[in-house]
């Protein structure tokens, strides 16, 4: 255990707080620096796959999740024009048995508060906007907009899609626009009486789709309305929108979702951008985490889940290495070697369902992945006679993600390495 190591995390979002909570749990001195004036998470609902919920339970959040999250019993796919059910994917207890942990839906604010509660007072510092940092032989010096500075053994950039730490590591990048935006918000479940707040729903239309899933113990639904949108919107998931925008997007749709326009709370627009996977994201003293490392489109619902996995993996790697410069460099290298191949695969797969036309150049690997994904999706969508099979196939396509246990994988790899060392010594 590295009792003399101090880790600085930039950004107090889901990923940053997950990393800090996992580091603190392992006895590592950690401080989180957040640019905002208060500690709060904007946004609406989110999916927590078994790959993330198993980690959150191990962090001690099982009871809190049970109080506010929902374990959806099933996903229903319904026709956009009349609301008739065309396919059902059972979830609930069946998925919990299959993956060893529940699939949950939860309000981002609820999860954010839970993660913050795992850190003692004085570990999260608000009004700390990072403006620059310098790596040295003895650590990293961080400088903030208010003129203050601090030093740490290592710097973790969990500062989102507009990450300063990422820009320092890889330079300026042009984000790649998907051709779509998403109108998002919450609605009281009571205002959608035709929908069961114990289930998730997807309505697939000719030019868009609507996803609704329960949050806040089933008292509300989060809605996501994905529609084509010309490029030009700012890269933000909290852009301004209105009920009129929602009504226009849902014109001609079944009243089951058309009612959203009159009942929705605040409406926000999320312009769907991503970036190509990075070839590296670490130095000897600095690394990236979450959206700063691998911003991804939301079609797998894995953005926050991958950030949680990142945070736990990073804490394990740092906790198992010796202190000092060489130990930290080895820990960050192991973390990247573990996470980057996995998140690259998730990131590329998350592009399913968006237009094939891209606004920037892509690698051959990305193009081949897109061709395979789009071919599979078109075949599935055009075969209405096999709708349930198609939904099951889509679930199977992400089963490898949901089954992942990053903590067990690292522990197994470490055990195998120790066994190999013993065999070599013999």
């Amino acid at each position: 255990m590295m009792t003399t190591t101090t880790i600085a995390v930039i950004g107090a979002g889901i990923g940053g707080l997950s990393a800090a909570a996992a580091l603190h749990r392992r006895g590592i001195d950690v401080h989180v620096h957040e640019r905002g004036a208060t500690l709060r998470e904007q946004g609406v609902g989110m999916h927590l796959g078994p790959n993330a919920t198993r980690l959150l339970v191990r962090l001690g959040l099982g009871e809190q999740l049970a109080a506010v999250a929902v374990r959806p019993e099933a996903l229903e796919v319904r026709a956009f024009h009349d609301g008739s059910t065309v396919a059902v994917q059972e979830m609930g207890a069946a998925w919990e048995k299959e993956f060893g942990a529940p699939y949950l839906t939860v309000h981002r604010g609820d999860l954010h508060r839970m993660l913050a509660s795992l850190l003692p007072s004085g570990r999260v510092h608000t009004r700390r906007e990072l403006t620059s940092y310098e790596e040295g032989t003895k650590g990293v010096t961080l400088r903030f907009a208010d003129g203050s500075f601090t030093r740490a053994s290592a710097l973790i950039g969990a500062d989102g899609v507009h990450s300063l730490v990422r820009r320092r590591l890889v330079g300026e990048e042009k984000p790649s626009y998907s051709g779509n935006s998403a109108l998002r918000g919450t609605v009281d479940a009571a205002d959608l009486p035709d929908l069961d707040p114990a289930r998730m729903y997807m309505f697939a239309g000719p030019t868009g789709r609507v996803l609704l899933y329960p949050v806040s113990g089933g008292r509300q639904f989060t809605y996501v309305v994905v529609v084509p949108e010309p490029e030009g919107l700012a890269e933000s998931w909290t852009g301004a929108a209105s009920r009129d925008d929602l009504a226009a997007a849902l014109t001609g749709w079944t009243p089951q979702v058309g009612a959203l326009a009159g009942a929705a709370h605040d409406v926000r627009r999320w312009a769907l951008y991503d970036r190509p996977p990075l070839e590296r994201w670490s130095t000897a003293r600095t690394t990236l985490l979450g959206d700063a490392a691998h911003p991804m489109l939301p079609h797998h619902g894995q953005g926050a889940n991958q950030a949680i996995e990142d945070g736990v993996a990073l804490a394990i790697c740092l906790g198992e290495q010796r202190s000092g410069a060489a130990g930290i460099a080895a820990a960050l290298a192991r973390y990247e070697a573990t996470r980057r191949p996995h998140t690259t695969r998730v990131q590329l797969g998350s592009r399913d369902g968006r237009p094939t036309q891209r606004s920037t150049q892509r690698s051959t690997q990305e193009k081949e992945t897109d061709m395979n994904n789009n071919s599979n999706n078109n075949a599935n969508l055009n075969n209405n006679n096999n709708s349930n099979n198609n939904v099951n196939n889509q679930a199977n396509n992400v089963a490898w993600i949901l089954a992942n246990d990053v903590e067990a994988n690292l522990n197994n790899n470490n055990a195998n390495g120790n066994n190999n060392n013993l065999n070599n010594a013999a």
Side-chain angles (χ1 to χ4, degrees):
M1 184 182 299
M2 300 185 303
T3 57
T4 61
T5 297
T6 297
I7 305 299
V9 177
I10 303 300
I14 299 295
L17 290 180
S18 296
L23 288 163
H24 176 69
R25 189 175 182 86
R26 285 164 174 78
I28 299 172
D29 185 37
V30 59
H31 290 265
V32 182
H33 304 278
E34 164 59 39
R35 64 182 297 176
T38 59
L39 188 61
R40 66 187 183 93
E41 175 70 11
Q42 298 186 44
V44 286
M46 58 178 289
H47 302 258
L48 284 175
N51 53 311
T53 57
R54 71 177 95 255
L55 304 178
L56 295 172
V57 169
R58 290 172 192 162
L59 286 174
L61 295 179
E63 290 186 5
Q64 293 186 58
L65 283 170
V68 297
V70 178
R71 188 185 71 172
E73 295 175 357
L75 167 65
E76 288 191 25
V77 180
R78 295 189 175 186
F80 83 97
H81 61 291
D82 64 1
S84 59
T85 299
V86 297
V88 177
Q89 168 66 59
E90 296 300 328
M91 299 171 67
W95 274 26
E96 184 165 356
K97 180 179 179 181
E98 178 178 356
F99 298 113
Y103 190 109
L104 303 176
T105 52
V106 65
H107 196 287
R108 293 184 71 94
D110 289 335
L111 179 59
H112 194 258
R113 284 188 290 274
M114 292 181 213
L115 289 167
S117 73
L118 297 177
L119 295 171
S121 176
R123 297 296 174 137
V124 180
H125 312 276
T126 57
R127 301 181 188 273
R128 287 284 188 94
E129 180 180 356
L130 184 72
T131 56
S132 66
Y133 66 91
E134 301 87 38
E135 291 189 44
T137 57
K138 295 184 178 180
V140 185
T141 301
L142 295 75
R143 302 188 184 281
F144 301 99
D146 62 1
S148 64
F149 71 94
T150 191
R151 294 186 176 90
S153 307
L155 168 64
I156 313 304
D159 45 343
V161 295
H162 300 293
S163 169
L164 181 146
V165 183
R166 179 179 173 122
R167 291 199 302 274
R168 280 285 305 274
L169 284 173
V170 302
E172 295 290 340
E173 303 167 285
K174 182 180 179 181
S176 182
Y177 185 54
S178 69
N180 294 321
S181 71
L183 298 169
R184 303 194 307 167
T186 57
V187 60
D188 291 338
D191 291 330
L192 299 178
D194 294 327
L195 304 182
D196 182 353
R199 300 169 86 85
M200 293 170 50
Y201 297 89
M202 185 174 74
F203 295 79
T207 59
R209 64 178 180 267
V210 176
L211 179 67
L212 296 110
Y213 53 92
V215 296
S216 303
R219 295 185 301 277
Q220 293 184 322
F221 279 104
T222 282
Y223 64 85
V224 183
V225 182
V226 180
V227 292
E229 190 76 36
E231 188 168 5
L233 295 172
E235 186 183 13
S236 171
W237 50 274
T238 57
S242 68
R243 288 184 175 182
D244 289 341
D245 296 321
L246 202 54
L250 297 175
T251 299
W253 289 58
T254 173
Q256 293 175 9
V257 292
L260 282 173
H265 301 163
D266 287 347
V267 183
R268 297 292 177 182
R269 187 184 296 276
W270 179 13
L272 301 182
Y273 289 85
D274 72 351
R275 289 166 171 75
L278 293 177
E279 295 183 359
R280 74 176 184 100
W281 67 40
S282 302
T283 67
R285 293 279 187 176
T286 302
T287 195
L288 301 174
L289 181 153
D291 283 348
H294 41 74
M296 57 185 67
L297 294 174
H299 305 307
H300 281 347
Q302 276 291 314
N305 293 259
Q306 294 304 306
I308 293 167
E309 285 191 5
D310 288 348
V312 171
L314 178 64
I316 292 170
C317 292
L318 284 167
E320 292 180 353
Q321 287 291 341
R322 64 190 184 280
S323 59
I328 290 172
L332 299 187
R334 182 189 178 201
Y335 159 71
E336 180 177 332
T338 299
R339 294 300 297 155
R340 191 165 58 80
H342 183 85
T343 58
T344 294
R345 186 180 174 194
V346 178
Q347 187 178 7
L348 293 176
S350 72
R351 291 174 171 178
D352 288 5
R354 56 110 180 105
T356 56
Q357 191 70 30
R358 302 291 289 180
S359 58
T360 61
Q361 289 283 343
R362 292 175 294 142
S363 68
T364 300
Q365 177 190 11
E366 292 175 84
K367 291 177 181 177
E368 290 176 351
T369 300
D370 287 345
M371 289 174 64
N372 292 334
N373 289 337
N374 289 327
S375 175
N376 292 336
N377 287 343
N378 290 335
N380 287 341
L381 291 173
N382 290 330
N383 190 351
N384 292 329
N385 292 330
N386 294 306
S387 294
N388 274 317
N389 288 337
N390 294 336
V391 174
N392 290 336
N393 289 338
Q394 291 292 336
N396 290 335
N397 287 342
V398 299
W400 65 274
I401 301 175
L402 304 182
N404 191 49
D405 187 336
V406 68
E407 185 172 8
N409 293 343
L410 281 166
N411 290 338
N412 289 339
N413 290 339
N414 193 44
N416 291 336
N418 290 337
N419 290 335
N420 290 336
N421 290 337
L422 289 172
N423 291 335
N424 291 337

